[in-house]
Every structure is written in structure tokens, then in C-alpha cells.
Amino acid sequence: GRLVVLVSGGGSNLAALLAAHEGPAYPGRVVGVVADRASAGGLDLARAAGIPTAVVAPGDFDDRAAWDRALAESIAVFRPDLVVSAGFMRILGAAVLDRFPGRVVNTHPALLPSFPGAHAVRDALAFGAKVTGCTLHVVDAGVDTGPVIAQVAVPVEPGDDEATLHERIKVAERRLLVDWVGRIVAGGLTVEGRSVTVG
Ligand code: GRF
């Protein structure tokens, strides 16, 4: 299945998908990487792997709706079967979600509905959570509110800071993402209300 990956940062989740996509048995193929900023390290990973990239930066557009439309267009160029938001730090608007209905997933470094938003790891630590984790979910119009596909629990260790905890989460997150994205492109994703069926 054709995967388009959306990134904003270093792209370690993208790196995991690229490693999997090298394998003959993996049903997913990364066909395009789109970032909201030219500085996203994930773009370098894509280029090194010979995968086409696009940058659609909000600052280049008059308003969010125009950016959202441009983002939808740039993703559509790659004809994705599945759009994977992996460390993409923008809210995906109607133009994207309506263009790829039920085919946009996001990975979040907390056990939703706990700790939605851009500071999930910091918030879990500040709250004093003993267990946190990561969530793969279908993207809906809200912020990290879409139906849950899969989750993995990750312990918070004494002495953790945001970096050590996020790194431990990412180890689990990369595995969750590669595993479930593979299952989705191999068997399909059906969403009925809050319930999700894969395969
Ligand atoms: C991931 O933990 C993702 O869930 C969160 O930001 C991190 C991005 O990491 N939104 P990377 O860019 O994939 O390394």
C-alpha cells in the first residue's frame, strides 16, 4: 500500500517505516514525505532513501484554509492508500480529512484520551503518571480525539525527564506504528463510530 508520511521533526517514526519498507515482506511502501517546514529532519531521511518530498509551510499561505488545501493537494500527488502523521505538529483540517476519509492516522506519545496536544510527554510527567504510552488513532476534526486503533503502555521510571521518557515511548511507538500501518495497508481500516476494525 502507498504510504505518505507527514513530518515536522527528526522523523524517527519515519525512519522506522523506511526500514520496514526496505523489507520484501512489508506491505507498505513510503511513496512521499510531506513536511510543514523545510527544517524537518525527516526530509533528509526521505531524500537519502530516494523518496520524493514536499514542504507545505503555513507561513507561505494567506490563511489556514489555503494551507490546508495546499497540503491536501501535495499529499494527493502521491496517490496514498494511507496518510501517516508521525510527529506532524499541525492540526489537519477538513480539506485533508475530506480528501482522504478514514485514511489518515496519527501517532501520539500518550495513552489518549490522557494528555492530548503538543506536550503529551511533559504533561504526563508533570501529572505524576506512573504509566503512559503511545496511541495510534484515526484522525478526526478534533485534536487527538479520533477513534483509537492501537495503544501500548510504557512505564515512567524514577528520575525520568521529558527526554528520557519520550525516548522510551518512541521505542514502543515505532514498533506500534510499523506493525499497525502494515496491517492497515494489508487488510484495510473500517471506522464505525468509536470502533475501528483493521483487516
Ligand atoms: C513522536 O513521539 C510523535 O508521536 C510526537 O512527536 C514525536 C515525533 O518524533 N508527536 P519523530 O519526529 O518521529 O522522531
Side-chain angles (χ1 to χ4, degrees), residues 14-164:
L14 168 63
L17 285 169
L18 289 174
H21 124 133
E22 296 296 326
Y26 195 64
R29 308 254 349 119
V30 179
V31 297
V33 173
V34 181
D36 63 332
R37 63 199 74 182
S39 62
L43 293 169
D44 297 329
L45 294 175
R47 292 176 189 126
I51 292 167
T53 62
V55 176
V56 185
D60 296 343
F61 298 89
D62 292 342
D63 56 35
R64 279 205 70 97
W67 172 78
D68 197 36
R69 284 194 300 275
L71 183 61
E73 286 306 317
S74 75
I75 295 168
V77 162
F78 299 113
R79 294 180 290 111
D81 295 307
L82 187 69
V83 181
V84 182
S85 165
F88 191 65
M89 299 313 281
R90 305 283 174 181
I91 305 302
L92 295 171
V96 172
L97 300 181
D98 294 348
R99 189 77 172 265
F100 311 103
R103 286 191 284 146
V104 184
V105 298
N106 178 55
T107 176
H108 182 77
L111 294 176
L112 293 172
S114 295
F115 314 120
H119 307 291
V121 178
R122 182 194 314 172
D123 295 345
L125 210 51
F127 187 82
K130 300 299 183 194
V131 175
T132 184
C134 49
T135 301
L136 183 69
H137 65 96
V138 178
V139 177
D140 68 6
V143 178
D144 300 323
T145 53
V148 173
I149 298 167
Q151 296 185 301
V152 171
V154 173
V156 180
E157 304 290 0
D160 262 337
D161 62 14
E162 185 177 350
T164 59

Side-chain angles (χ1 to χ4, degrees), residues 9-14 86-87 89 107-109 166 170 173:
S12 68
N13 280 288
L14 168 63
M89 299 313 281
T107 176
H108 182 77
H166 202 164
K170 280 183 162 187
E173 182 177 31

